[in-house]
Amino acid sequence: MTDVIPNELVRNSIDVIEEKKPIKDAWQKSAVFMDSLITELSERTDFSSLKDVDINYNLPFDEALEQYPKQAVAVIALNQPTWAKTWAGCIDPESSLIVARRSANRWGGQTWAVPMGKVEAGDISTKNEALGDVIGDAAERELREETVRDQATNERSLIASSFLDQKTGILIHVVFKEISEHRINKSSLSVGLPDTREHDQIGWIKMKDITELTPMSEGVKFLFISALKYIKGINQQLTGNFPPLLG
């Protein structure tokens, strides 16, 4: 594996995935895919400095800040078939997500990541605003600052997980944002850089190909794993309470 991603993996635009009908065994197929992805991302990696954190997102942000003074958000922005919804426990291997390579002069320079950054004062509307609302606003701002999208889209967000980087003391919140095309304008979704201070490349990559993103930091691998485990938990709940076939 080379340290430079093959050009065909990351693209500046993506043809919008056509709407699919629910397929049989969708939950099971998605669970198997997520398991394989978690296994691949975990190989030959030391996560000893990273710790999952269970936090109440209804907690006032000020109280959460007392526990964790440094907080950041990471946004897994996905475009996937309409039957595959993260809040329904499904992720399609053919779905695509936004990835960016950090500029050489930045922390973690020349490594691949999802859009991410620190929670800022402007993300907080009121003193007692719930942590979940602050994180949702921070995730949207971060994606807006780091990417340019060329058309109106339908979007929904879900806070999937949080973990502590014990080396830096930063609590990182991982947010899934599902992006789909406008139902009237069927042109391709595309993504670009507003400037090159933070990143020097950005594009879409198939979810099944994220393990080919090199180099990728341990923290970025862990945020994918942490979020995938959460979605897999939803998957297991649904498959335990409903018949296994969607079609």
Side-chain angles (χ1 to χ4, degrees), residues 69-141:
K70 295 189 287 186
Q71 300 192 29
V73 293
V75 187
I76 299 176
L78 277 177
N79 173 251
Q80 62 174 349
T82 55
W83 66 263
K85 299 295 185 183
T86 54
W87 52 89
C90 284
I91 293 180
D92 189 322
E94 294 296 325
S95 63
S96 298
L97 77 154
I98 296 172
V99 293
R101 191 175 71 175
R102 294 189 66 79
S103 298
N105 61 340
R106 290 288 180 173
W107 177 86
Q110 301 297 285
T111 62
W112 288 92
V114 296
M116 57 194 304
K118 293 181 180 179
V119 176
E120 299 178 357
D123 302 322
I124 308 164
S125 300
T126 63
K127 183 178 180 180
N128 295 318
E129 187 174 7
L131 173 62
D133 292 336
V134 173
I135 297 309
D137 289 343
E140 177 54 36
R141 173 192 53 75

Side-chain angles (χ1 to χ4, degrees), residues 206-221:
K206 295 293 185 184
M207 196 69 181
K208 66 182 182 181
D209 293 329
I210 63 172
T211 56
E212 297 184 43
L213 281 173
T214 57
M216 182 191 295
S217 72
E218 293 173 348
V220 173
K221 290 181 181 180

Side-chain angles (χ1 to χ4, degrees), residues 93-230:
E94 294 296 325
S95 63
S96 298
L97 77 154
I98 296 172
V99 293
R101 191 175 71 175
R102 294 189 66 79
S103 298
N105 61 340
R106 290 288 180 173
W107 177 86
Q110 301 297 285
T111 62
W112 288 92
V114 296
M116 57 194 304
K118 293 181 180 179
V119 176
E120 299 178 357
D123 302 322
I124 308 164
S125 300
T126 63
K127 183 178 180 180
N128 295 318
E129 187 174 7
L131 173 62
D133 292 336
V134 173
I135 297 309
D137 289 343
E140 177 54 36
R141 173 192 53 75
E142 199 65 39
L143 195 60
R144 187 173 60 249
E145 286 180 354
E146 296 194 10
T147 68
V148 175
R149 285 165 284 168
D150 70 346
Q151 67 175 57
T153 55
N154 301 312
E155 301 180 3
R156 286 184 67 177
S157 298
L158 172 70
I159 301 175
S161 61
S162 58
F163 66 94
L164 181 67
D165 183 337
Q166 296 178 102
K167 288 182 179 178
T168 62
I170 299 176
L171 180 67
I172 300 169
H173 306 274
V174 187
V175 178
F176 268 109
K177 180 176 282 289
E178 286 198 337
I179 300 173
S180 59
E181 80 279 14
H182 194 285
R183 291 190 176 277
I184 297 175
N185 180 358
K186 291 290 186 178
S187 63
S188 296
L189 294 174
S190 67
V191 62
L193 291 170
D195 59 58
T196 56
R197 290 177 296 175
E198 293 285 340
H199 304 100
D200 60 17
Q201 287 190 45
I202 195 166
W204 294 88
I205 188 172
K206 295 293 185 184
M207 196 69 181
K208 66 182 182 181
D209 293 329
I210 63 172
T211 56
E212 297 184 43
L213 281 173
T214 57
M216 182 191 295
S217 72
E218 293 173 348
V220 173
K221 290 181 181 180
F222 193 83
L223 74 83
F224 277 121
I225 291 170
S226 180
L228 287 167
K229 285 182 177 178
Y230 179 85

Side-chain angles (χ1 to χ4, degrees), residues 30-82:
S30 182
V32 170
F33 168 65
M34 286 188 283
D35 271 339
S36 67
L37 209 51
I38 289 169
T39 298
E40 287 186 62
L41 288 167
S42 301
E43 290 177 353
R44 299 181 298 279
T45 308
D46 179 12
F47 295 135
S48 59
S49 66
L50 305 171
K51 177 184 177 183
D52 282 312
V53 171
D54 186 12
I55 193 165
N56 180 3
Y57 281 98
N58 292 318
L59 194 70
F61 183 73
D62 281 359
E63 290 185 28
L65 207 59
E66 291 177 6
Q67 297 180 50
Y68 303 101
K70 295 189 287 186
Q71 300 192 29
V73 293
V75 187
I76 299 176
L78 277 177
N79 173 251
Q80 62 174 349
T82 55

